Amino acid sequence: MKRFASIQNVKQEIDSYEEHFTGAPLVVGIDGGYNYTALLSLLKDDYGKQVIRMSDSCSVDFPPDPAFQISLVSNSAKAKPVIWIGAAQAKMLYGQQPTEQFLVNLLGTCFSGPVTVICPFCCTILEGIARNYAKLGYNAIVMSDGERNIPAIHVVPENVAYPGVDSVQGIKELLRILENGKYGTDIYLTTSCKVVYLERSMYPVSEGMNPYQVLCRLDSGIAANTQERNGTSEQWQKLLLNLQKAKSLSDLCVDRICEIQNLADEFGDHLAGNSDDRFLCFICLKAFYSNRNDYLAYCLQKSQDMDSLERCIYNAILDIDYQDKHFSTWMRQRRRMLSTLDDNSAMMKDYCNQATIKCKDILWYISDETEEERAALIHALCSYSYLPDELNQILAVVSPQLAAYLHPFIFDEFNTKVMESDAYVRGMLTDYFQHYKFQKITNRQDDDFVELVEKEAKIRSFTKLQARSAVVKKLDKKDARPYFFDALGVEFLAFIESRAEAYKMQFECFVGRCNLPSITSKNKDFYNAFSEGSVRKEEGLDELKHQGTKYDFQFTTEPLHVFDELAILDRDLKKMGSMLAMGQCQKIIILSDHGASRLAVTYRSENSKLELSEPGQHSGRCCPAEKDPGIEFATFEDGFAVLANYERFKGSRKADVETHGGASLEETVVPVIVLTAKPEEQQVFFVETSVLCSPREGSRIRMFANPSLKKPRLVVNGQSYDGKFDGDKHNVIFDMPDIRRKGHYEAEIYNGGIKVAVLTFETKRQTGTKQLL
């Protein structure tokens, strides 16, 4: 065997072989892509030679066997010396052993004329043949510079298109480019020939790029942010075909789904679509949103398909500690996304069940926006102990409606008129109803509160209040529209005030007492104060308390009904805000016949001794009686014995949700509310929002109001401070002797009993000075 270092020497050796042909072929082994193409170019330019390609004999899409072409080549060599290319390349597709055997047989074959066989990538095989078959080695030469660069062949199914990727069609075309020696490191072959027939090839052969891999080459977002397991081969293939038509993934997203910037808000519309749209939507989300630092990106990283994404949006927030800096932002984003999705009760219920792992911290992870979450929220309130301040902090975030309900309502000299000697009633009512509300939503009854109820059942402080009829009589009823809310108690005043503020209404309240027993038939006197037929009635609250089969205490002991109570009030208050804004009336007066008690239901005590001639009516809270029965906790009024504690008469029907008819404070204390439209251009602000405070004198702050206020007052932390006019009616000074420490404060500004604004201010410690004499 001869070895050469230059192409020119190899060409000269071939010319010499042809001139001194003895019958055997000359087999040339040559490595390195450049050397092969350079040699081939020299041989093609020699008109004294003919080039025969193995690819010309490839009639089917399968590697041809050059052994069957030897006689044809031999006959062709009679006329002119033959340069045979492609024979080794074709045999290499069968594997190394078949290639080696072919070359051994070839070297031992006698030809009719000179035949030079060019065999790229076969130097090592020929050197082995020369060692094992000395005589055959005389007819072989090699030229190797150590560079092989054997291309890898990727077999692609016929139905897969490779946009932007050069591929060859069939084995015939593959052999053609192998013969020409011009190829890269990878050849993409589209063929009907199965990979299994090529698995022993000397060329590295593998399944070529599947549709997903092609998509990765076409779109950097898919490549960077998705995985092949995110879809099936059929889904990726359909996406590839659609992408070819649309030219880009962003164009396809706009055509089929929405603008890319709207994806986060609108992808929920496609969750109920067909599987193709769901898949496209999911891939677009992965491609365009995975690099963003938000809750959606976090969920996308954890999701493999649209189904798992939806579940992840529900559940992934549980992985984040509520004290994490991302939590509040991500929780808001989660709620916004869930609001765009169709209701999925099963997923939300599963989420709420999983959230119980947070124990008492579960409140941070739920809201009041779905029935399942509301049930979980109430269950947590009933299962764990929360301090009032702690609960207010949490509910302000997770349930603003419930937080507004629990906000303290201050019974003061403006809204609660009593004799000066009975002024204690205001503070008592403030504390009583604050504790009542807290117990109502937590399904508890504190022993000290029950003791207070028992005490009040004897004292009956509600009798110190004005009668509702007296309150209504004093009202200015001109241009007023009256609304009667059946069973509206003063427990809702803080909530109503909050919603009135939200709907741009001024809220003014007057607290009175109803007639006993606290049933509707005995409390319709206010109808006579208004023109016939003008009083509109809202019965939703009363129906909820008496016919709330969904919340029947015999089956549902937790106070789930509170959300429906607030929803009824919110709905009607929103309508009232619209009526005032549109000028349909100048004011709205809300009236109530009586309140209702939840704790009288949860107390669950039927006193065996409290039995009259007739069974207790109205859930046992009152009972017809001819005379005062002399019961310690009952009062006699208008032919009825009325209970003032939480017991019920023997033989009475148990209440469903809440009850009334008795004389507890929550049943007897009723509001009369006046709502008016807020002035559009009212200016109220502190002249300076940072003021000095001292341990002796407290603090002083100046406020400006336009138009002026008649009775300005300021409430901070439940403490009321009357204002003093300074120079004119627009400038007001508030002295706050109780505020002696530095800090940040929220102040409610009132004009008499009407809240007009909520402002904030800061107090700083007053520093002393020394005089130098």
Side-chain angles (χ1 to χ4, degrees):
M1 173 181 285
K2 296 180 180 179
R3 290 180 173 81
F4 295 93
S6 72
I7 297 300
Q8 295 297 333
N9 291 339
V10 174
K11 174 65 166 58
Q12 291 172 5
E13 183 66 20
I14 294 172
D15 292 342
S16 175
Y17 155 75
E18 293 174 351
E19 186 177 347
H20 303 93
F21 174 68
T22 59
L26 176 64
V27 178
V28 180
I30 184 167
D31 289 339
Y34 173 77
N35 290 335
Y36 174 80
T37 55
L39 175 62
L40 194 60
S41 180
L42 286 175
L43 296 174
K44 286 180 179 180
D45 290 342
D46 190 337
Y47 293 104
K49 300 175 176 57
Q50 59 176 319
V51 177
I52 294 181
R53 293 176 174 271
M54 190 67 216
S55 59
D56 291 335
S57 301
C58 184
S59 57
V60 295
D61 197 14
F62 195 83
D65 190 342
F68 295 111
Q69 303 298 317
I70 289 179
S71 60
L72 183 147
V73 172
S74 179
N75 289 332
S76 298
K78 294 178 182 179
K80 185 186 288 189
V82 170
I83 304 298
W84 192 12
I85 61 174
Q89 290 92 320
K91 204 64 184 179
M92 286 171 66
L93 293 172
Y94 287 88
Q96 181 161 335
Q97 186 175 357
T99 301
E100 183 175 343
Q101 189 60 51
F102 167 70
L103 292 177
V104 169
N105 294 338
L106 181 66
L107 287 166
T109 301
C110 186
F111 283 82
S112 301
V115 175
T116 300
V117 185
I118 309 297
C119 303
F121 312 117
C122 292
C123 292
T124 302
I125 294 177
L126 290 174
E127 288 171 348
I129 293 174
R131 287 193 300 269
N132 297 325
Y133 306 95
K135 292 183 179 180
L136 296 180
Y138 288 109
N139 296 324
I141 64 174
V142 296
M143 178 185 175
S144 177
D145 57 6
E147 181 184 358
R148 289 174 62 82
N149 292 332
I150 298 179
I153 298 173
H154 306 280
V155 179
V156 183
E158 284 186 304
N159 62 341
V160 176
Y162 271 25
V165 175
D166 292 331
S167 62
V168 296
Q169 304 296 317
I171 298 295
K172 183 181 181 72
E173 189 174 343
L174 171 66
L175 280 178
R176 176 70 64 167
I177 69 167
L178 289 174
E179 289 167 350
N180 292 336
K182 294 181 179 180
Y183 40 73
T185 57
D186 297 289
I187 299 174
Y188 297 95
L189 169 65
T190 300
T191 177
S192 60
C193 181
K194 296 181 179 179
V195 177
V196 66
Y197 297 122
L198 304 173
E199 60 185 5
R200 295 185 179 180
S201 167
M202 288 179 64
Y203 300 99
V205 175
S206 64
E207 292 279 2
M209 286 193 301
N210 55 34
Y212 172 72
Q213 292 168 324
V214 178
L215 285 165
C216 287
R217 292 180 65 106
L218 294 176
D219 189 277
S220 59
I222 293 178
N225 303 314
T226 67
Q227 296 176 313
E228 190 170 354
R229 61 184 177 181
N230 294 145
T232 65
S233 57
E234 291 78 12
Q235 287 174 322
W236 290 120
Q237 175 62 24
K238 286 183 180 179
L239 179 58
L240 178 59
L241 294 175
N242 290 328
L243 191 63
Q244 287 179 274
K245 298 175 183 177
K247 296 183 181 179
S248 71
L249 184 62
S250 58
D251 289 342
L252 184 60
C253 181
V254 172
D255 291 343
R256 294 269 295 275
I257 303 176
C258 64
E259 297 287 343
I260 293 172
Q261 62 268 25
N262 298 333
L263 261 179
D265 296 324
E266 298 185 21
F267 75 89
D269 297 338
H270 300 273
L271 286 177
N274 59 53
S275 59
D276 290 344
D277 285 345
R278 283 168 56 86
F279 176 68
L280 174 61
C281 184
F282 178 71
I283 297 305
C284 288
L285 283 169
K286 293 278 276 187
F288 298 126
Y289 275 83
S290 285
N291 290 328
R292 299 193 178 189
N293 185 23
D294 57 13
Y295 184 66
L296 176 57
Y298 180 73
C299 292
L300 286 165
Q301 291 172 4
K302 297 169 68 69
S303 305
Q304 299 304 319
D305 51 35
M306 188 59 93
D307 289 336
S308 62
L309 174 61
E310 184 178 6
R311 186 170 297 279
C312 200
I313 290 172
Y314 277 90
N315 297 341
I317 195 67
L318 295 176
D319 298 336
I320 310 301
D321 189 279
Y322 77 92
Q323 294 177 319
D324 186 282
K325 63 180 181 180
H326 296 296
F327 181 80
S328 59
T329 299
W330 287 9
M331 195 66 177
R332 286 195 299 271
Q333 292 175 346
R334 173 184 176 271
R335 289 178 187 169
R336 187 167 60 248
M337 281 189 284
L338 288 178
S339 69
T340 67
L341 308 184
D342 291 339
D343 291 339
N344 191 323
S345 297
M347 280 193 181
M348 184 57 80
K349 185 175 181 179
D350 178 66
Y351 168 76
C352 291
N353 288 336
Q354 291 191 46
T356 57
I357 197 174
K358 300 295 183 179
C359 296
K360 70 176 296 184
D361 291 337
I362 186 177
L363 285 187
W364 289 106
Y365 293 85
I366 52 182
S367 70
D368 60 4
E369 296 172 6
T370 65
E371 184 176 351
E372 295 77 20
E373 286 179 288
R374 290 192 289 270
L377 192 157
I378 291 294
H379 183 70
L381 293 177
C382 298
S383 302
Y384 301 103
S385 295
Y386 300 91
L387 296 173
D389 289 344
E390 177 186 20
L391 190 56
N392 290 333
Q393 179 189 6
I394 300 173
L395 291 180
V397 177
V398 304
S399 180
Q401 299 262 47
L402 207 53
Y405 169 76
L406 282 179
H407 189 77
F409 180 82
I410 308 300
F411 293 82
D412 57 29
E413 66 273 22
F414 290 94
N415 55 46
T416 308
K417 304 295 184 181
V418 294
M419 298 289 290
E420 189 62 34
S421 59
D422 297 324
Y424 76 92
V425 172
R426 299 181 185 119
M428 185 273 293
L429 289 177
T430 299
D431 293 338
Y432 181 95
F433 282 101
Q434 194 59 23
H435 291 151
Y436 171 81
K437 290 188 289 184
F438 191 82
Q439 291 172 92
K440 173 176 173 176
I441 69 164
T442 59
N443 212 30
R444 292 183 176 87
Q445 284 190 346
D446 298 334
D447 291 340
D448 58 348
F449 187 81
V450 174
E451 289 179 8
L452 174 61
V453 171
E454 298 281 341
K455 178 181 176 182
E456 278 296 315
K458 301 173 184 177
I459 300 175
R460 298 164 196 166
S461 296
F462 67 88
T463 59
K464 310 292 185 181
L465 301 173
Q466 297 181 97
R468 180 190 48 241
S469 58
V471 174
V472 173
K473 184 177 180 180
K474 296 175 185 177
L475 291 178
D476 179 6
K477 304 176 189 65
K478 184 179 179 181
D479 296 323
R481 183 165 295 183
Y483 271 83
F484 164 33
F485 277 75
D486 198 339
L488 177 66
V490 293
E491 65 176 283
F492 297 107
L493 285 177
F495 178 79
I496 294 172
E497 185 176 22
S498 169
R499 301 320 294 158
E501 178 77 19
Y503 298 131
K504 300 186 182 307
M505 293 184 288
Q506 288 191 146
F507 168 94
E508 189 173 17
C509 175
F510 306 96
V511 175
R513 57 179 167 84
C514 74
N515 304 321
L516 293 182
S518 56
I519 55 178
T520 304
S521 61
K522 299 293 183 179
N523 285 278
K524 292 184 175 181
D525 51 273
F526 53 80
Y527 271 93
N528 298 326
F530 299 92
S531 58
E532 185 176 355
S534 64
V535 179
R536 297 189 182 186
K537 186 177 182 181
E538 169 56 72
E539 297 182 288
L541 287 176
D542 193 60
E543 291 176 355
L544 180 66
K545 298 174 193 299
H546 295 312
Q547 303 170 24
T549 54
K550 181 179 178 182
Y551 305 118
D552 191 329
F553 188 75
Q554 311 307 316
F555 308 104
T556 304
T557 59
E558 295 178 347
L560 297 172
H561 68 289
V562 66
F563 288 108
D564 283 2
E565 291 179 314
L566 301 182
I568 291 169
L569 291 172
D570 184 67
R571 177 198 64 199
D572 288 332
L573 288 167
K574 187 175 183 179
K575 291 179 182 177
M576 294 175 185
S578 297
M579 291 168 58
L580 291 170
M582 291 186 294
Q584 296 178 6
C585 57
Q586 296 300 310
K587 69 178 70 169
I588 291 174
I589 298 175
I590 297 177
L591 305 148
S592 174
D593 51 352
H594 53 75
S597 176
R598 172 67 174 180
L599 300 192
V601 176
T602 60
Y603 191 66
R604 292 184 285 189
S605 176
E606 179 186 75
N607 193 316
S608 60
K609 298 178 181 180
L610 301 179
E611 183 176 12
L612 301 180
S613 57
E614 295 184 29
Q617 296 183 357
H618 299 280
S619 301
R621 300 294 290 156
C622 61
C623 188
E626 295 181 359
K627 61 180 181 178
D628 190 342
I631 298 173
E632 183 180 19
F633 299 127
T635 183
F636 180 70
E637 187 97 16
D638 198 16
F640 280 85
V642 182
L643 287 174
N645 65 356
Y646 283 158
E647 294 180 320
R648 56 188 174 86
F649 287 110
K650 184 179 179 181
S652 57
R653 180 183 63 83
K654 295 180 180 179
D656 296 334
V657 183
E658 294 196 7
T659 186
H660 61 87
S664 69
L665 289 175
E666 54 266 36
E667 295 168 286
T668 56
V669 183
V670 293
V672 176
I673 301 168
V674 179
L675 300 176
T676 53
K678 268 193 173 183
E680 292 186 3
E681 298 184 357
Q682 187 170 34
Q683 289 182 299
V684 179
F685 58 86
F686 290 134
V687 177
E688 293 182 347
T689 57
S690 180
V691 296
L692 299 177
C693 65
S694 72
R696 289 186 178 181
E697 299 177 356
S699 307
R700 168 181 283 197
I701 196 166
R702 181 186 296 272
M703 185 185 76
F704 177 84
N706 186 29
S708 62
L709 307 180
K710 294 181 180 179
K711 295 180 180 179
R713 66 188 181 97
L714 176 150
V715 177
V716 179
N717 295 334
Q719 180 65 46
S720 180
Y721 306 97
D722 292 330
K724 296 180 296 184
F725 294 112
D726 184 30
D728 57 31
K729 296 286 187 178
H730 295 286
N731 290 280
V732 184
I733 292 177
F734 294 100
D735 287 316
M736 301 172 288
D738 299 328
I739 300 180
R740 302 170 181 175
R741 295 183 178 182
K742 66 177 182 178
H744 294 270
Y745 297 89
E746 183 177 85
E748 296 174 328
I749 310 301
Y750 286 85
N751 184 22
I754 301 175
K755 185 163 72 172
V756 295
V758 176
L759 304 175
T760 59
F761 66 94
E762 176 188 13
T763 57
K764 294 181 178 180
R765 186 70 59 84
Q766 187 173 6
T767 58
T769 60
K770 292 184 179 180
Q771 284 187 328
L772 295 178
L773 299 179

